[in-house]
Amino acid sequence: MSQSKIPFLDLKAHHDPIRQEVMAAMNEVIDANAFAGGPFVARFEEAYAKFCDAKFCIGVGNGTDSLWFSLLALGVGPGDEVITVPMTFMATAEAITYAGAKPVFVDIDPQTYTIDPTQIEAAITPRTKAIMPVHLFGQCADMDPIMAIAKKHNLFVVEDAAQAQGTTYRGRKAGTIGHAASFSFYPGKNLGAWGEAGAVTTNDAALREKVAMFREHGQKKKYYHDVVGWNGRMDGLQAAVLSVKLKYLEQANNQRRRAAALYNQLLAGTPGVTLPSEAAYGQSIYHIYAVRAAHRDRLIQLLGERGVATGIHYPVPVHLQQAYANLGYRRGNFPVSEACADSFLSLPMFPELTNQQIEIVVREFKDCLRLVAGGAA
Ligand SMILES: *Cc1c(COP(=O)(O)O)cnc(C)c1O
């Protein structure tokens, strides 16, 4: 079979048309010697806050810093518990641990793959301080019931919006509903830097000030340290790159939505395949297009042999990671997350993915499904 390979993500295709514009922006940073924090970061913060419709944005080093600083700024620390999901990237739980608190997991909803609000209250204890919903794959968690539970129990809500730059929930942007939200601009995210970057958004001025202090060694004034902070600044170069790329984010998200709609159409009714479902409350930005299928590992291998790159997000839920063996969870504790980890298969997804490429992916995928189902594989 002669066919060009279909990558999982094609950053070069995304960057080539804007390369000159980004390079010019980077040259401005070099001319200004504004490398660590500084005016280019401030400019991006303003633009990103506006994009989200949040009052404040604080640029930081990466999306793990932004989770961590959000918790520290809210006063989460030793002895506290933070509720989150096991079906997420490890960083969500790591940030809780590094704040000195304990991650407590709640399973995900089988439709949205985000935290199941009906299971949150059972996990609340006198030590619970915050809830950290994860907007997995670009779809918002069901924030209204989460905020209602938080209000009732006097808890903070920190949105892990690493995969949700532009996601909407009942007409609002993800990252503006909780007390604070954390964004990652890791290169592969929908809005990605040319290196590492992240940001916190909030509508709370006091919180903004605290996060800004933590990212800057706990100082408000240079060399006067109010608290023990960290070096968590955003690079000027990354801010310049992000400011350019932000202009194209909505268009890129729409292109992803177009790709997802075509996948949905072409894969509809395929036996043994569960398609992603978009909740009626908002729009996903399809950071990841994940289907569920039996014999997932075999399918990935066969697709790879046919030049179709795929991924698994994520193969091991956090409660079963070796690193968290000390928390004492076992297989069977979170059946939806576990079943998803065993069956999730992420198909190629990026804005420049052509309709023709999608047709090829679907054709090959269906062919591989037949092989696997027939046992001929
Ligand atoms: C990417 C990601 C993070 C971490 O962001 P980094 O910028 O890589 O530190 C946190 N949570 C989720 C859900 C992510 O996808």
Side-chain angles (χ1 to χ4, degrees), residues 177-223:
I177 304 162
H179 299 88
S182 165
F183 287 92
S184 163
F185 305 119
Y186 179 79
K189 298 283 156 71
N190 285 36
L191 176 60
W194 285 6
E196 305 275 351
V200 175
T201 52
T202 183
N203 290 326
D204 180 333
L207 209 55
R208 173 224 202 169
E209 194 147 302
K210 283 185 190 158
V211 171
M213 254 169 57
F214 278 114
R215 77 164 166 190
E216 192 83 50
H217 298 290
Q219 65 190 11
K220 255 185 275 183
K221 186 174 152 198
K222 198 166 177 149
Y223 302 132

Side-chain angles (χ1 to χ4, degrees), residues 336-349:
V336 180
S337 294
E338 291 164 17
C340 284
D342 291 341
S343 60
F344 269 157
L345 193 170
S346 309
L347 295 177
M349 173 52 78

